[in-house]
Amino acid sequence: MLVIRTRGWRGRRDDDRGAVLVTVLIVMLVGFIVVASIAAAVVFTIGANQTNRDRTGAFVAAESGRDAAVAAIAQGACVTSGSGTDPDYTFRVKTTTGAQPASFDDPGLVSACPTIDSRFVVIESTGTGPAGATSVVTSVYTWQVFYPGQPGGTMAYFDGAFTATQSQYEGDLVMRSGNYECNAQSTITGDLWLTSGDFSVSAKCVIDGSVYVRGNANLGNGADVSITGDVVAGGSISMTSNKAIVGGSLTANGAINTTAGSAAGNATAGGAASVAPGTVAGTVTANAGTPAVFNPTLEKVFDMTRWLDVPIDRATWGGDVRWFEGPCNGTDVMTALKQPLTAPYTRVGIDYTACTGPVTVRLSGGQVAHDALFLVPPASTMSIVISGSLTSVLVPQPQLFFIHGDAVLGNDAPDCITGSSTDSLSLPATAQVRMMLYSPCGLGSVSHINFNGQFYSNYDGDEKWVHPEFTCQNMAWEPILGLGCSVKDAAEDETPPPPPTQQLGPLITQRER
């Protein structure tokens, strides 16, 4: 009986050992699967990291190629293609004189370095990673051309007719398009240039200078006009008011008709000349062909006074500018204009470009210690409110530049964003500073304004100036702007203005693939 029990017990022990062995095998299999899975995940991650590293390296290389092209252009050593080996990249450069290109294959682009006529520069750079991955970066920049000798005194850049009611203006006045009508008491101390359109007078008007008009000049309709210089017209000249006095000569490519008034010089007509006795003191010449000579030419005047696309990125305004963030709630920023500056800063900039709504630049008045710049983004309206007198002990007078950003750079035209209303300006009676108002949107109704400096604004579709007094002043903000007040001085061959400054503008768009 003992033997039987012992055998039965041993049999059951052998069966338990087999079950343990199966369990161990299962555990080992599961462990193997887990280890294999982990190993596969690790291998996959390592491969993915290597791929990402290669792609990142390719992108970095592509941007390095772009930066190399930008640096070459900035140094005046532009090339249309180039390459590098550490990192590995190649780049190509194209430019256009037309509209902003949509891609590097835009038909308006040519393989060329930028010139004075260029508007956009496009750089395509291809980078290669260590393992062969590639990345392509296409970057579009504006090409900025600044004219330090740009004649200002344009009363504005008005793209349309302009009527200033009872105005006084000191400096050459240029109307680039449209007509100029002196229909209320006005005084211009300087030459009047009309590169397009006609000149007419129907009220008391004093021009202490000459009148150059592409179209016709009409000194009639009861006009009380005094012009100390000449009247030169690409069309005809009519002088029918007995209160019209011209201190110089009358020259027209068309006909000349005088029934009243007086001209102290000669009358030379390309066509017929009908001159009443006593109205012309000098000789009268008819059918002279095309005697009107414009010096400088009206085309040159038009080009010299073309719209300047002024950027609003800080970098282009110089490295000596102490920048402050402009308050979007329109609070007073006069403190920034009063405080002393330490090297390397010599000028102040108030940057409102982070604002998303209307911007009010508010100055309470006081002592201005240095030149100042105010930058307003294109999508905002700009209101300038100066409630107190601005004084200064500096000689020459300090300069304040109010710049409302142009929405499209590089097309030599004022571009106001749709929905932006006209800008506004409120000034005290006197100010011992020079101001420049730059607005692609135009300026609204202004009454009894006394403006000292440069007014550079788009025509807003309505003539709403009442009793303005403008005193043009030479103004400059290196390296962006240099505006004078005399067209003839700016065009003299003996003393030409400084050459235009050309540079790569801000990055507009960039695509990576």
Side-chain angles (χ1 to χ4, degrees):
M1 293 299 292
L2 292 175
V3 173
I4 293 172
R5 290 177 180 175
T6 301
R7 287 178 179 177
W9 176 82
R10 287 179 179 178
R12 289 193 300 272
R13 184 182 62 182
D14 291 342
D15 291 341
D16 291 343
R17 286 179 179 180
V20 171
L21 179 59
V22 171
T23 303
V24 170
L25 290 175
I26 292 173
V27 171
M28 290 178 62
L29 179 60
V30 172
F32 175 78
I33 293 173
V34 171
V35 171
S37 299
I38 294 174
V42 170
V43 171
F44 175 80
T45 301
I46 293 174
N49 287 340
Q50 289 176 339
T51 300
N52 290 337
R53 186 184 306 114
D54 197 38
R55 291 175 179 173
T56 302
F59 177 72
V60 171
E63 288 207 320
S64 297
R66 178 206 61 193
D67 294 343
V70 168
I73 294 173
Q75 295 167 7
C78 172
V79 291
T80 57
S81 62
S83 61
T85 56
D86 188 18
D88 188 358
Y89 63 79
T90 60
F91 68 78
R92 294 186 294 164
V93 175
K94 289 185 178 181
T95 60
T96 180
T97 58
Q100 180 178 333
S103 69
F104 194 73
D105 297 321
D106 192 291
L109 289 171
V110 295
S111 179
C113 287
T115 66
I116 196 170
D117 296 319
S118 299
R119 290 182 176 176
F120 296 95
V121 178
V122 185
I123 301 172
E124 182 183 77
S125 178
T126 302
T128 303
T134 59
S135 179
V136 180
V137 171
T138 304
S139 306
V140 180
Y141 296 84
T142 59
W143 183 246
Q144 298 172 343
V145 180
F146 301 116
Y147 296 83
Q150 173 97 356
T154 59
M155 182 94 136
Y157 175 102
F158 282 117
D159 247 354
F162 178 75
T163 302
T165 304
Q166 297 189 359
S167 65
Q168 296 185 40
Y169 186 80
E170 294 185 22
D172 287 357
L173 172 57
V174 179
M175 295 300 303
R176 301 179 80 252
S177 64
N179 305 319
Y180 182 87
E181 178 186 1
C182 188
N183 67 352
Q185 181 174 338
S186 300
T187 300
I188 298 174
T189 305
D191 295 333
L192 174 62
W193 296 82
L194 278 73
T195 62
S196 174
D198 301 328
F199 169 69
S200 61
V201 183
S202 58
K204 184 175 180 58
C205 185
V206 176
I207 299 177
D208 189 6
S210 296
V211 175
Y212 303 94
V213 53
R214 183 177 294 277
N216 304 318
N218 182 13
L219 312 181
N221 299 322
D224 182 359
V225 57
S226 174
I227 300 172
T228 62
D230 302 323
V231 177
V232 182
S236 62
I237 296 176
S238 175
M239 187 169 67
T240 59
S241 171
N242 58 7
K243 293 183 179 181
I245 301 174
V246 178
S249 298
L250 305 177
T251 306
N253 286 336
I256 293 180
N257 175 44
T258 66
T259 60
S262 65
N266 304 320
T268 306
S274 175
V275 177
T279 57
V280 176
T283 61
V284 178
T285 304
N287 300 313
T290 54
V293 176
F294 299 93
N295 184 24
T297 66
L298 295 180
E299 289 75 18
K300 187 171 185 179
V301 172
F302 183 83
D303 184 65
M304 287 192 305
T305 57
R306 63 181 174 175
W307 180 262
L308 297 179
D309 284 322
V310 177
I312 57 170
D313 58 297
R314 295 184 181 184
T316 59
W317 291 88
D320 62 337
V321 180
R322 171 73 168 89
W323 288 101
F324 296 90
E325 296 296 330
C328 299
N329 61 359
T331 56
D332 183 26
V333 293
M334 191 66 205
T335 302
L337 277 62
K338 294 179 179 180
Q339 64 180 256
L341 297 175
T342 57
Y345 303 117
T346 61
R347 302 177 290 186
V348 162
I350 314 294
D351 187 355
Y352 292 87
T353 57
C355 300
T356 56
V359 168
T360 297
V361 179
R362 190 179 303 276
L363 298 172
S364 58
Q367 194 81 239
V368 179
H370 31 250
D371 291 352
L373 166 71
F374 307 85
L375 298 180
V376 177
S380 298
T381 56
M382 179 175 70
S383 298
I384 302 168
V385 179
I386 303 177
S387 57
S389 180
L390 299 175
T391 61
S392 181
V393 297
L394 299 181
V395 178
Q397 297 170 325
Q399 307 173 103
L400 305 183
F401 288 76
F402 301 94
I403 308 296
H404 185 180
D406 193 295
V408 181
L409 299 179
N411 63 354
D412 298 328
D415 298 282
C416 181
I417 289 182
T418 301
S420 293
S421 59
T422 303
D423 295 331
S424 64
L425 173 65
S426 175
L427 296 176
T430 60
Q432 298 175 12
V433 297
R434 292 172 287 165
M435 301 182 193
M436 177 181 180
L437 177 68
Y438 177 97
S439 171
C441 294
L443 195 61
S445 179
V446 177
S447 180
H448 294 85
I449 189 174
N450 189 326
F451 194 87
N452 180 47
Q454 293 279 345
F455 183 67
Y456 207 84
S457 174
N458 187 22
Y459 175 65
D460 68 352
D462 194 5
E463 303 92 357
K464 294 175 288 189
W465 293 84
V466 182
H467 301 286
E469 292 186 17
F470 298 92
T471 302
C472 184
Q473 297 280 0
N474 295 339
M475 296 184 67
W477 187 288
E478 296 293 340
I480 301 298
L481 296 169
L483 299 177
C485 295
S486 174
V487 171
K488 284 187 175 180
D489 288 349
E492 288 291 336
D493 292 336
E494 301 83 36
T495 56
T501 300
Q502 304 180 56
Q503 65 185 33
L504 204 63
L507 176 66
I508 299 177
T509 61
Q510 178 166 295
R511 295 192 313 169
E512 300 94 15
R513 67 177 192 275

